[in-house]
Each structure stands twice: as C-alpha cells, then as structure tokens.
Amino acid sequence: MRGRQTVRDMVLSMLAVGFVVWIGYLFLPHDANSDPVHVVEYRAAAASAKRAAPYPLLSPEGLSGKWRATSVSYTPADLNSGKGNAWHLGFVTPSGQYAAVEQADVPRDKLLADKVADGRPDGTSDAAGHVWDRVQGEKGRALAVQTGSATTLITGTASYEELAELAQALK
C-alpha cells in the first residue's frame, strides 16, 4: 500500500485539517474593537509603598476616570541595582498618551538621565505648590522637582498640560 498515495488522498487530508482549523477559529476570541489597555488598580500598591518608602511617596488622588493606570511598582534600593528606592505609576491619559510618576531617592540628574533620553531644559511649570522644571527629551518630556530626599518626575509622551494635571493630583 505504501507509495500508492494519490493526490485525492492529499486533498482529503488537507480538507480535514482545514476543517479542524476553521472550527478552532470560530471558538477563539478575536474582537478587533476591544480596548488593548490593561487597567491595573494602584491604590493598594501605593498604600503599601508609602509605608515602605524612606521618603514621602506621592500618588494621585481625584483624577478623572479617563486616566487609566496601566503599571505600578515599588522597588526597594537593595533590589534596584543602584537606582535607589523607586516608585513607578504609569497611566494612559485622556488624550491616549502615556504619563508616569517616577520617584526615587537618587540625584535628580541620574533619574532624569534614566527616564528621559537626551533631556534638555525647557522652562518651568507650576503645579501642586511646586515649580517643576520642564525637560524635553528625544521621545518624551518630563516635569521634575526635588521633594525632600526624593526626586519626583512626571514623564511620558503626554503634553506638558497633561503632565501638570497629573502633578497637580499628587498627594
């Protein structure tokens, strides 16, 4: 029987495999209109990080529901490869851009070099009772301020206005 396979047998086999693939496709989710943003809850992580951080850790309060948190982390200095005690909270802004709170007990210039590629001074902004230095980078921008022993950055691809809105909400 070996060697007597025909084209007809091959076509029948391909039809059988095609039928199985088609059935599988029908049962897999494939909603092209779904929102790809995975929203995370950050308030519990912020409360925990505030207890652990050796500086006054800042997180936003009162932002509208159009601000969607997408990432949150606190990394203690002994686990952070010389980048200090680091707090990160990322958002998708109402305009669809990215904005993040970055806070660490490292010198301002070191944190800026790590978070804003090719950053250069671009004026100042007033928010939350502080004068924030504007920094324009190659692909993003930041607002920077020294708060006690920590450097706080509001950074991302969002406009300075949206970054200032996030800075204003920090408590």
Side-chain angles (χ1 to χ4, degrees):
M1 188 77 174
R2 236 154 133 65
R4 295 186 155 261
Q5 294 89 356
T6 65
V7 173
R8 177 182 172 274
D9 293 334
M10 183 179 68
V11 169
L12 289 174
S13 296
M14 288 177 60
L15 286 173
V17 170
F19 179 74
V20 171
V21 169
W22 179 72
I23 293 296
Y25 175 78
L26 291 177
F27 289 101
L28 290 176
H30 47 276
D31 184 4
N33 297 325
S34 67
D35 186 1
V37 175
H38 176 71
V39 177
V40 299
E41 171 53 48
Y42 67 89
R43 288 170 185 83
S48 176
K50 284 182 181 191
R51 289 189 296 275
Y55 51 82
L57 189 131
L58 301 173
S59 67
E61 293 178 13
L63 286 175
S64 77
K66 293 180 180 179
W67 286 80
R68 298 175 293 165
T70 58
S71 57
V72 60
S73 67
Y74 175 76
T75 309
D78 58 344
L79 300 175
N80 206 15
S81 307
K83 295 181 182 178
N85 297 285
W87 166 243
H88 163 83
L89 178 57
F91 288 91
V92 172
T93 69
S95 70
Q97 295 297 312
Y98 181 74
V101 177
E102 304 286 354
Q103 201 172 13
D105 53 356
V106 296
R108 176 185 179 276
D109 292 340
K110 183 175 181 178
L111 188 59
L112 272 169
D114 187 44
K115 302 296 180 185
V116 183
D118 296 325
R120 59 193 180 286
D122 192 27
T124 60
S125 290
D126 292 324
H130 296 285
V131 175
W132 297 72
D133 295 323
R134 288 181 172 197
V135 178
Q136 180 63 54
E138 183 179 309
K139 295 182 180 178
R141 60 193 55 82
L143 299 177
V145 70
Q146 193 72 34
T147 52
S149 63
T151 299
T152 303
L153 298 181
I154 310 299
T155 184
T157 59
S159 67
Y160 282 127
E161 291 74 22
E162 282 186 316
L163 296 179
E165 183 179 346
L166 179 54
Q168 189 65 38
L170 294 178
K171 307 284 184 237

